[in-house]
C-alpha cells in the first residue's frame, strides 16, 4: 500500500466548515494582527468623557465593519469558482483581520467594547458573500469593489468626525483606508464588474442601518 499522503482537495462543505470556524474566531475570539498597529508610536491624547465616548462609538462602527468584511470575504471564498480568486479573497480577508485587531485594541484603549450584535452582522454578511459567489466570480469581485468603495467613503467621514486630538484612532483609520482602496483596485483588476442598480443603493442603506445601530449597541 502506498504510504505517500496526498493533499485532499477541499470540498465546498470543507470550506463552509472552515468558514464557520473563522466566524467563531472573528466574533468571539481575540484576533491577532500580522502588522503592528499604525497607532503604536502615537501617544494617547487627553479626551473628556464625551469625546472618548464619541471616539469609541466611531471605532465600534469600524470594528463591526471589519467583522462584516471578514464575513463577506469568507462567504465569497467558500464558494468561489476559481482557485486564484479564492486565494485573492482569503489574502484580503487576512488584511481585514489586521484591521479587526487594530479596532479591537483601540476600543479597549478607549475603555469600550465591540457591538453586541456582531454575530448578527457576521451571519448576514456571510450569507451575502456566499450568494454573490454563487452568482459568479465577476459579480462576487464586483461586490468587493463596491463594498470597499463605500467603506473608503465612510472611513474618510470618520477620520473627519473623530475628536481632533485622537491621533491614535485617526492613524488606524487612515491605514485601513489605504488598504481598502488597494482591495478595490485588486478586485477590479481581477474582473470585478460594476454592480447594477439598485444593488449599490441597497448596500448603502444596509450600511447606514449598521452604522446607526453599532454606534450605540
Amino acid at each position: 500500500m502506498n504510504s505517500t499522503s496526498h493533499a485532499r482537495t477541499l470540498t465546498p462543505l470543507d470550506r463552509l466548515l472552515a468558514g464557520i470556524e473563522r466566524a467563531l474566531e472573528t466574533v468571539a475570539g481575540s484576533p491577532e494582527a500580522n502588522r503592528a498597529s499604525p497607532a503604536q508610536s502615537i501617544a494617547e491624547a487627553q479626551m473628556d468623557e464625551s469625546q472618548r465616548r464619541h471616539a469609541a462609538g466611531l471605532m465600534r462602527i469600524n470594528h463591526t465593519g471589519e467583522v462584516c468584511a471578514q464575513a463577506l470575504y469568507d462567504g465569497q471564498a467558500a464558494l468561489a469558482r476559481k482557485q486564484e480568486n479564492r486565494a485573492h479573497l482569503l489574502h484580503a480577508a487576512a488584511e481585514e483581520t489586521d484591521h479587526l485587531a487594530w479596532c479591537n485594541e483601540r476600543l479597549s484603549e478607549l475603555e469600550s467594547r465591540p457591538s453586541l450584535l456582531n454575530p448578527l452582522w457576521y451571519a448576514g454578511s456571510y450569507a451575502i458573500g456566499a450568494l454573490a459567489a454563487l452568482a459568479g466570480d465577476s459579480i462576487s469581485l464586483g461586490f468587493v469593489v463596491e463594498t470597499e468603495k463605500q467603506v473608503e467613503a465612510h472611513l474618510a467621514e470618520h477620520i473627519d468626525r473623530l475628536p481632533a486630538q485622537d491621533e491614535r484612532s485617526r492613524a488606524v483609520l487612515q491605514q485601513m483606508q489605504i488598504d481598502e482602496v488597494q482591495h478595490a483596485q485588486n478586485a477590479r483588476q481581477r474582473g470585478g464588474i460594476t454592480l447594477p442598480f439598485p444593488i449599490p443603493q441597497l448596500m448603502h442603506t444596509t450600511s447606514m442601518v449598521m452604522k446607526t445601530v453599532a454606534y450605540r449597541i
Side-chain angles (χ1 to χ4, degrees):
M1 180 177 179
N2 190 343
S3 61
T4 302
S5 61
H6 297 281
R8 183 167 65 89
T9 301
L10 294 181
T11 67
L13 178 59
D14 292 327
R15 293 194 292 270
L16 180 62
L17 293 174
I20 292 172
E21 181 179 1
R22 286 194 296 273
L24 294 173
E25 293 173 353
T26 299
V27 174
S30 298
E32 295 184 5
N34 290 317
R35 294 176 289 171
S37 170
Q40 68 174 349
S41 62
I42 301 174
E44 186 66 73
Q46 292 293 324
M47 290 185 282
D48 61 31
E49 182 59 30
S50 175
Q51 291 171 324
R52 183 175 294 275
R53 188 165 55 248
H54 176 58
L58 294 179
M59 294 308 294
R60 182 161 44 252
I61 290 172
N62 289 297
H63 182 275
T64 295
E66 295 306 321
V67 168
C68 292
Q70 193 75 211
L72 185 70
Y73 281 129
D74 283 346
Q76 290 172 295
L79 298 177
R81 298 182 184 182
K82 294 182 179 179
Q83 178 60 37
E84 57 268 30
N85 285 336
R86 182 177 303 117
H88 163 74
L89 290 163
L90 291 176
H91 175 74
E95 289 195 343
E96 299 292 352
T97 301
D98 285 351
H99 300 174
L100 189 66
W102 296 343
C103 289
N104 191 57
E105 179 182 30
R106 189 65 190 132
L107 279 171
S108 179
E109 292 170 351
L110 292 167
E111 301 177 351
S112 191
R113 51 152 181 81
S115 170
L116 298 176
L117 299 179
N118 276 346
L120 177 63
W121 304 128
Y122 189 100
S125 297
Y126 188 95
I128 291 171
L131 288 173
L134 286 174
D137 282 0
S138 61
I139 293 177
S140 182
L141 291 167
F143 261 92
V144 174
V145 174
E146 183 61 34
T147 297
E148 302 295 21
K149 175 183 174 183
Q150 294 191 17
V151 169
E152 179 195 355
H154 100 241
L155 286 171
E157 175 194 348
H158 284 191
I159 287 168
D160 289 339
R161 289 179 59 195
L162 281 168
Q165 67 270 46
D166 188 7
E167 291 299 332
R168 286 183 66 83
S169 296
R170 187 167 285 105
V172 169
L173 298 190
Q174 287 171 337
Q175 183 58 53
M176 287 168 56
Q177 189 178 38
I178 291 170
D179 291 345
E180 308 299 9
V181 170
Q182 189 62 55
H183 292 168
Q185 291 175 347
N186 291 344
R188 178 73 75 186
Q189 291 169 359
R190 297 196 69 85
I193 65 171
T194 299
L195 298 180
F197 176 86
I199 295 176
Q201 289 74 14
L202 291 173
M203 292 170 67
H204 177 71
T205 300
T206 301
S207 174
M208 292 300 295
V209 172
M210 181 274 287
K211 289 191 286 186
T212 300
V213 175
Y215 182 85
R216 296 175 174 81
I217 301 176

